[in-house]
Every structure is written in structure tokens, then in C-alpha cells.
Amino acid sequence: MSLWKIAWRSIQQRALASALTALGVGLGVALVVAVLVIHGVIDRSFKRGSQGYDLIVGPKGSSLQLVLNTVFHLSESIGTIPYSYYEELNEGRFSSAVETAVPVCVGHDYKGSMVVATIPDMFDKLTYLNDRRYEFAEGRNFDLAEPFEAVAGSVAARKTGLKVGDTFVPKDAQQDVADPDDHAHQSIKIVGILAHTGTPNDRAIFMNVEGFYRFGCHTAGPTLAAKLMKPKTEPAEEKSQAKDERAEAEHKPGEEADKHGEDAPDRHGDEARDHAAHGHVHGVPYDQRQVSAVLVCTDMSKPQLAMQLGDLVNADSVAQAVAPSKVISQLFEGIVGNVQLMLLILACLVVIVAGVGILVSIYNSMSDRRHEIAVMRALGASRVMVGTIILLESILLSLGGGALGILLGHGLVGVLGPTIAEQTGVLVSPWSFQYNELILIPGLVVLASIVGYLPAAVAYRTDVAKSLTTAQ
Amino acid sequence: MLELYEVKKSFTEPDGGDLPILDIEEFHLDAGEQMALVGRSGCGKSTLLYVVAGISRPDSGKVMVGEWDITLFTEPECDRFRAEQIGYVFQTFNLLPGFSALENVLLGMCFAGGRIDRARARDLLERVGLGHRMTHKPTQLSVGEQQRVAVARALANRPKLLLADEPTANIDSGHQQQVVDMLRERCREENVALIVVTHTPEVARQFDRIDNLEEINRAVVVK
Ligand SMILES: Nc1ncnc2c1ncn2[C@@H]1O[C@H](COP(=O)(O)OP(=O)(O)O)[C@@H](O)[C@H]1O
Ligand SMILES: [Mg+2]
């Protein structure tokens, strides 16, 4: 019969009040745990290079926006860089430091899911979340030789209802409604659905970049396309493009664009040569192709060169190289970190309020227990012992509440997990325990000791003779 | 075994004056001796037991238990002494409601700091006729049974002295005798000195020695 057991018995004796008090602590702790776990999981999945590539080469401008747009399919594109820059990375002057380079072009969406134009290497060569390979839940990857094939991320497929074999017409992100007579955009066929990855790529649709160029715009919508094409187009065309973006798009349907390419071999000598070389016919002249960004896996076997690559790119006036993990952790520590700190402080306040609940509950019971305490003293318990029993009671209640809270918290994460995964693309496992959760244990003991002090002092000071006499 | 010399105890009245409660010139009890302590209500019987048990301190005088003067003990020493040497049975609400009969007996051992002797606790409960009630909570026991558990608990640490403050006052007369018998037999068996405070003449009559505190206590005479 230890003091612990005696304390436990007094808790059992007032089971309902004890349970409610512990539940209060539990709810507070659950909040703390949920904040810690979600933060920890987001933190880890960002920091461990979840992107599967280590550099994004894109236009000069906001590196944050470039990362948000390229990695998370959020925000708007900050512009484009020439396609030739991708070739420099892939096979030109930068290629010695590059293992894989994947171009991406954005600017279209379908029913709210972003349509990213890229090459099959995106899924064949790049990985995600620590070297996991992309897999297809249904169908297969799109074929480089089939310009109008696409695959959908798991969430995007569910949201848009697209299935393997379905076709869809992507719409220009800058147009509010899809144009029913949209001739610029040929329909695209879904040939595969990606298995769930827990990354932002679940939320996007990926189409062949070749098909994208046949839409007649480079990347971030007609405005940019128009601007970029200005110096190289004829005055008449230029005017119409400048006046009306949509008109520009309509004037360049796939077939017409093909003709356009054939019609103007003299105007675009280089383009014609490229056509011949690639055996393709393009809507956008080859030398006017632009990309939104290039995802670059540097060659790990040449770390020196890989390190210099970023500097070399940044030294150019055309592009910038951004390490997404660095930008993300900056963003994370700057904004997300502060939000999480505030949430954590709030959650801790809830725990403290619940701790005061323990104080009130035990303190209220003290008047009923004066006689019990006096009996224990008459049996030879010292003042310190009866005070300790009350303290232990407080500690047991808060630790019990804490254990409940940890379960509740992880349960909460389990319930919220799928939503979080869908909204942010981050996979949150309810059983990913955080080391900083361990700090809850000494924290709760300290809290319990502080709130238990007052009732313990009452027990300590109990006048035995008086309490025994008044009860008789 | 128990000797009191010139023990005085008074309480401070609300108006600040001194109210003498105890003033005992001399009081003796031999080892293993059993006595009844009588006297009208308010004459200081309970207060005397508190002083003997070290729960209350006298204002002056000596309280010798065995070879020790417990008035010289510090409070923790008093607590330890009480746990080891004194058994206590009150009028009512002896038992802690959250604990079974057996646990109530073990509780006494726990505070003495010695080892917990479950076998002895069971044996004591069997000897007071409650072998079949060990896991019952106090609310599941009659008042008479509760008092018998209290007797078993008071003896748990093999004390030298057992103090029973009106142990039968709340029991119907039919079951009073059972409790008194248990008390007397167990104390005789273990050679424990026994003071039973009682208002009931039938109970008092059974003891060879009956002290009336009104006669011993000079404070009452003054009042
Ligand atoms: N804490 C106290 N303060 C003041 N007076 C007290 C206190 N405790 C007891 N008394 C008084 O001391 C007297 C003796 O009390 P008590 O020993 O309980 O008598 P008994 O047990 O003989 O009935 C009573 O008159 C009681 O009112
Ligand atoms: Mg009394």
C-alpha cells in the first residue's frame, strides 16, 4: 500500500469529478500533440527533400513564388525562361553537373486542378519523399511521342472525376470560364492515374509538354505568350495579340499552328531545322518555346560541379536557380513556425487552465476529506505524507489526462490526416510520435505540483484533533 | 507502561481567555492492562487520548510511554511513534471509504514505514470475524463490522497501547458486546494495554478498572 495507491484510491473514489478533470487536461494535451505532430510531419517532409530534385531553375523574380508555383502548384507563375535553357541544363553547358532535368510549363487548369506540362521523366526518373518511385494506380505514364496524353494525380483524378481513357480540355488559367468554342485547346486523353504520394503532385494533372506547345502559348497564359512573341511576329498579328489575349489563343488552334509552322520556314529557319531534327510539328516555333521552370537533379557524384551550378545559373541574366528545400524551410521558420508557436502557446494555455481545474477539483474535495486526513494522521501518517498524497493525486490526474490527451491528439491527427494530405499534399501519420512530446511528461508533473500545492498545503495543515472531534 | 505527570492542557477561548481542559496530577497504566475511562461529555476524555497519542501536545507535564517522554519528541517523531506504538479506534468513520476492509488494515502498516504484512492483516480480520469480508468497502459493512475492521487495523502494527474513543457508541446494543469482546480478547492475546472511553455502563462494568476522568481531572473540578 504505497502513497501512490492511496492517491489513486482517492481519485477512484471521486471517479466522475476525477474523470472530468483529467479530460480537461486531456483536451489541452491533445491540442498540444496535434500541433506538434502536424508541425513535425510537415517539417520533416519538407526538410528531407520531399521534392525529389534539388534545384528549380526558373525566371528571375520571387524565389518563394517560384517554389510555391513549381512545388506546391499554388500561386501564379512568375514568368518563363527560354526552352533553350532547359537544353543547356539537359545537354548543353550545364549538363555535366546535372543528372536529370525536367521542364515544366504551367498556366492551364482543369476544374480547379492545375495542368502541368512536362516530360515523362517527371515520373520515370524523378522520385519523391526520400527516393520513392512514382507508381501508377491505373494505366501508365504518358508517352513523349503522344503529344495529347496526360496522367492525373490521385487527388486531382478524384476531384475532377477523370478516369483512364477520359478526355478533357484544359482551360487557360487566366480565363474565367472555359470557352465552349475553344479551338486553341485540343482535348487531352488521360492514360494513367498516379498512385497516392502524399505530395502536392497528387493535386495536379500532368500532360505532355509537346501537346502543350501545340496549344499555341508558351507558358503562363496568353499575356506572357503575347509579350514574348512580340518581337518575332508580324505587325498585324502583333496588334491582335496585344488587343485581345483570347483572340490570340483562338487564332492559333493546333492545326492552324501546324500550317503556320509549315508556312513560314524562311521566317523561322532555325525552327524548321529543329522540326526536322525532332520530327515534330509545333504550334509554337521551336526557338520561341518557353518553360516555366526546370526541375534539376544535380549529379551527386560530382558535388563540386553541382554546387557551382546554382551560382552559374544565377550569374546569368536569364534565370535563377533556387534550392526548394531552403526556400521552404525559410518560409516554414518565418511564417508557419510563428503560427505554430502561437498555436502551441494557446494549447499550453488550455493545459494550464485544465491544471487550474485540477486545483479547483481537489481543493473542493478537501473539506469532505478533512476527516479522512485526520484519520490517516491518527494512524501515524505525517503531515508530509498526507501532503504528498494530495500532490500525487494531482500528478496522477494530470499524467492520466496527459496520456488520454496523447491518444486523443494522435487520434485527432488521424482524423485530420486525410484532409491535411488533400489540402497540402503532406502525408500525416497519426502514429508519428514527436520527441518533443516527451517534454509533456515533466511539464505536466511540474504543472500538477504547482496546482496541487495549495490543496496539499491544506492537507499538511489539517488540525487532527479538531477534525476528529468535529466529525464525531 | 503509560505514565502522566502534571499534564496540563488548555484552549484559548474566542474572547482570548484561557480555558483549562486537562489538569492531571498523575495517571498510570501497566503493560497489557485494560481499563474503562468514563466521565460526562466534555470532561476531556478525547483530549486526554489525543495527548497520550501525541496528536495534541500538552501545555506542560510529562507523558511517558514505555521509556519515552513523548512531549519531547518532534512532530515527525511523534507521528512515527504513533504509527508504531499506538492503535486508535474512534466512535465512527474510522475507515477510509475508498479502501476495502483489507486495505484499511494495510493502511496502518503503510504509515509505520515497516514492511506490509498481508498475512497478518488477513489473520487479524479473520480474528475479528471478518475473514469473508476482506474486499468489502466500508459502505458495504454494518457499523459494527466497520468497528471490528477498525480494531483489526489498530492492532496491525503490534502497538503497546490501544486507545478506543467510544467505540460502541453508534452500535446497537446487540452488537456492542461483540466489538467489546473483540477488543478485549485481541488486546489480551497480544498483550496490548487498552483504554476504552465509554458512556455505556454495561460496557464499563466489564473492566476491572474503571476511571472517572471527572475525579482525576482537576480542570473539571475547577469548572
Ligand atoms: N479545539 C478546541 N478549542 C476549544 N475548546 C475545545 C477544543 N477541543 C475541545 N474543546 C473543549 O474541550 C472540552 C473537552 O472536550 P473533549 O475532550 O472532546 O470531551 P469529551 O471527549 O470528554 O466529551 C470540551 O468542553 C470541548 O468543548
Ligand atoms: Mg469525546
Side-chain angles (χ1 to χ4, degrees):
Chain A
M1 180 79 46
S2 63
L3 296 188
W4 283 104
K5 188 160 181 197
I6 296 173
W8 174 238
R9 275 298 146 86
S10 354
I11 289 175
Q12 278 183 316
Q13 209 191 322
R14 297 174 301 117
L16 182 65
S18 303
L20 290 176
T21 317
L23 183 66
V25 177
L27 290 177
V29 169
L31 276 180
V32 173
V33 168
V35 172
L36 286 178
V37 169
I38 290 172
H39 173 265
V41 170
I42 292 174
D43 196 32
R44 257 181 298 149
S45 49
F46 279 150
K47 285 191 177 154
R48 68 182 180 185
S50 61
Q51 296 78 36
Y53 44 88
D54 33 75
L55 280 182
I56 297 173
V57 175
K60 293 230 186 262
S62 158
S63 56
L64 174 61
Q65 203 176 336
L66 179 61
V67 170
L68 285 179
N69 190 244
T70 311
V71 178
F72 295 98
H73 312 304
L74 299 169
S75 185
E76 274 170 32
S77 163
I78 56 169
T80 57
I81 55 173
Y83 189 80
S84 60
Y85 217 88
Y86 157 63
E87 294 182 314
E88 295 280 12
L89 288 158
N90 198 31
E91 48 198 28
R93 60 188 165 118
F94 299 130
S95 62
S96 57
V98 176
E99 195 175 291
T100 313
V102 173
V104 292
C105 302
V106 299
H108 286 77
D109 72 34
Y110 177 67
K111 287 190 181 171
S113 292
M114 191 178 274
V115 177
V116 177
T118 183
I119 58 174
D121 283 358
M122 177 85 185
F123 306 114
D124 289 342
K125 292 201 178 148
L126 294 185
T127 58
Y128 70 98
L129 298 181
N130 273 355
D131 292 337
R132 285 191 231 183
R133 305 212 69 87
Y134 285 98
E135 277 164 20
F136 287 86
E138 283 172 64
R140 54 167 175 86
N141 200 354
F142 61 89
D143 192 335
L144 190 61
E146 295 294 333
F148 299 110
E149 283 187 352
V151 297
S154 58
V155 174
R158 184 149 42 83
K159 242 163 75 178
T160 58
L162 287 173
K163 289 182 280 295
V164 173
D166 288 355
T167 58
F168 70 101
V169 179
K171 92 178 162 58
D172 216 301
Q174 294 191 347
Q175 278 175 272
D176 290 339
V177 282
D179 189 341
D181 316 311
D182 192 344
H183 302 300
H185 294 155
Q186 192 154 346
S187 61
I188 309 289
K189 187 176 174 201
I190 296 285
V191 297
I193 308 288
L194 284 158
H196 193 77
T197 62
T199 69
N201 284 348
D202 289 342
R203 288 183 289 122
I205 298 170
F206 300 86
M207 65 173 286
N208 193 335
V209 73
E210 292 300 329
F212 179 84
Y213 287 126
R214 296 194 189 188
F215 288 160
C217 60
H218 301 218
T219 66
T223 320
L224 259 171
K227 255 190 250 160
L228 291 161
M229 286 176 78
K230 251 185 214 170
K232 298 197 175 179
T233 45
E234 284 188 353
E237 238 178 306
E238 181 190 339
K239 228 185 278 166
S240 81
Q241 282 162 358
K243 246 187 263 165
D244 189 348
E245 297 155 13
R246 226 183 287 182
E248 187 264 350
E250 279 169 16
H251 284 158
K252 289 179 155 259
E255 305 91 302
E256 239 180 87
D258 289 352
K259 235 191 289 160
H260 168 81
E262 281 160 21
D263 282 354
D266 42 352
R267 263 192 290 157
H268 303 292
D270 294 351
E271 181 204 357
R273 199 194 58 220
D274 282 313
H275 285 178
H278 287 76
H280 281 304
V281 191
H282 305 290
V284 177
Y286 195 78
D287 64 345
Q288 289 177 34
R289 284 182 165 196
Q290 302 271 328
V291 295
S292 304
V294 182
L295 316 179
V296 176
C297 251
T298 55
D299 193 336
M300 286 306 182
S301 63
K302 302 168 192 155
Q304 288 299 106
L305 281 175
M307 271 178 31
Q308 285 166 9
L309 178 63
D311 297 336
L312 283 173
V313 170
N314 287 328
D316 266 2
S317 61
V318 186
Q320 64 171 336
V322 176
S325 56
K326 213 164 114 191
V327 172
I328 290 165
S329 38
Q330 273 170 5
L331 168 75
F332 206 65
E333 272 141 34
I335 300 165
V336 184
N338 283 339
V339 170
Q340 111 118 9
L341 186 66
M342 268 172 48
L343 280 177
L344 204 56
I345 289 171
L346 273 178
C348 286
L349 282 178
V350 173
V351 175
I352 289 170
V353 170
V356 174
I358 295 186
L359 164 69
V360 172
S361 162
I362 299 183
Y363 193 82
N364 278 343
S365 74
M366 288 313 287
S367 57
D368 298 337
R369 287 159 62 182
R370 240 163 40 113
H371 179 70
E372 284 175 45
I373 288 164
V375 168
M376 289 197 264
R377 291 293 313 276
L379 290 176
S382 64
R383 287 181 191 277
V384 174
M385 280 181 183
V386 293
T388 305
I389 289 170
I390 302 297
L391 265 189
L392 293 182
E393 201 176 316
S394 173
I395 289 171
L396 280 176
L397 276 178
S398 72
L399 284 183
L404 180 73
I406 286 175
L407 285 180
L408 269 178
H410 286 281
L412 190 69
V413 172
V415 171
L416 293 180
T419 318
I420 294 171
E422 195 155 309
Q423 297 294 316
T424 66
V426 176
L427 213 54
V428 182
S429 157
W431 304 121
S432 49
F433 280 88
Q434 300 297 300
Y435 280 118
N436 41 9
E437 279 177 50
L438 290 178
I439 212 169
L440 279 168
I441 295 167
L444 285 172
V445 171
V446 168
L447 177 69
S449 307
I450 292 170
V451 299
Y453 181 80
L454 191 62
V458 171
Y460 182 89
R461 282 202 294 263
T462 302
D463 182 334
V464 182
K466 215 174 188 170
S467 307
L468 287 174
T469 305
T470 47
Q472 295 210 358
Chain B
M1 208 283 302
L2 174 67
E3 296 159 65
L4 276 70
Y5 299 104
E6 294 298 341
V7 169
K8 290 198 174 85
K9 172 90 185 161
S10 54
F11 288 113
T12 316
E13 284 186 288
D15 61 15
D18 246 19
L19 176 69
I21 303 295
L22 282 184
D23 184 353
I24 295 169
E25 195 182 354
E26 246 190 279
F27 178 86
H28 293 273
L29 186 70
D30 290 336
E33 190 182 356
Q34 302 193 343
M35 66 167 286
L37 187 66
V38 297
R40 64 181 159 79
S41 185
C43 74
K45 302 181 296 293
S46 296
T47 307
L48 174 63
L49 296 194
Y50 295 152
V51 166
V52 169
I55 289 172
S56 292
R57 263 166 205 278
D59 301 332
S60 63
K62 277 174 128 183
V63 179
M64 304 292 296
V65 180
E67 63 227 62
W68 298 288
D69 180 357
I70 65 165
T71 60
L72 301 178
F73 284 173
T74 63
E75 194 187 65
E77 284 169 343
C78 252
D79 294 330
R80 191 58 181 265
F81 156 83
R82 183 164 61 251
E84 288 168 2
Q85 306 285 334
I86 310 267
Y88 222 124
V89 178
F90 312 103
Q91 182 177 332
T92 48
F93 306 121
N94 268 288
L95 305 184
L96 295 190
F99 299 80
S100 70
L102 180 63
E103 284 170 340
N104 262 285
V105 177
L106 295 172
L107 209 55
M109 297 176 174
C110 158
F111 297 131
R115 66 192 184 88
I116 306 265
D117 189 345
R118 281 182 171 266
R120 173 160 173 82
R122 286 175 198 282
D123 180 52
L124 282 166
L125 279 171
E126 261 156 32
R127 279 161 186 271
V128 295
L130 293 173
H132 58 300
R133 291 268 152 124
M134 299 211 201
T135 55
H136 286 53
K137 290 276 166 72
T139 47
Q140 297 167 303
L141 300 171
S142 72
V143 182
E145 287 169 331
Q146 288 180 30
Q147 292 303 82
R148 276 143 65 191
V149 175
V151 170
R153 186 179 65 187
L155 290 165
N157 293 327
R158 303 179 196 277
K160 296 273 185 320
L161 175 63
L162 199 153
L163 307 171
D165 197 344
E166 304 188 36
T168 58
N170 282 44
I171 309 174
D172 58 283
S173 47
H175 292 94
Q176 269 183 7
Q177 194 53 45
Q178 213 177 2
V179 172
V180 174
D181 287 346
M182 297 284 176
L183 257 178
R184 299 199 67 183
E185 279 166 34
R186 298 288 81 77
C187 285
R188 203 175 299 125
E189 248 174 37
E190 309 221 346
N191 197 33
V192 177
L194 172 67
I195 302 177
V196 177
V197 172
T198 183
H199 282 295
T200 322
E202 302 90 81
V203 173
R205 259 204 305 275
Q206 303 173 30
F207 289 85
D208 297 334
R209 175 177 165 189
I210 306 169
D211 282 13
N212 190 334
L213 188 59
E214 290 172 65
E215 291 161 12
I216 310 166
N217 186 1
R218 290 182 299 202
V220 178
V221 180
V222 171
K223 231 199 294 183

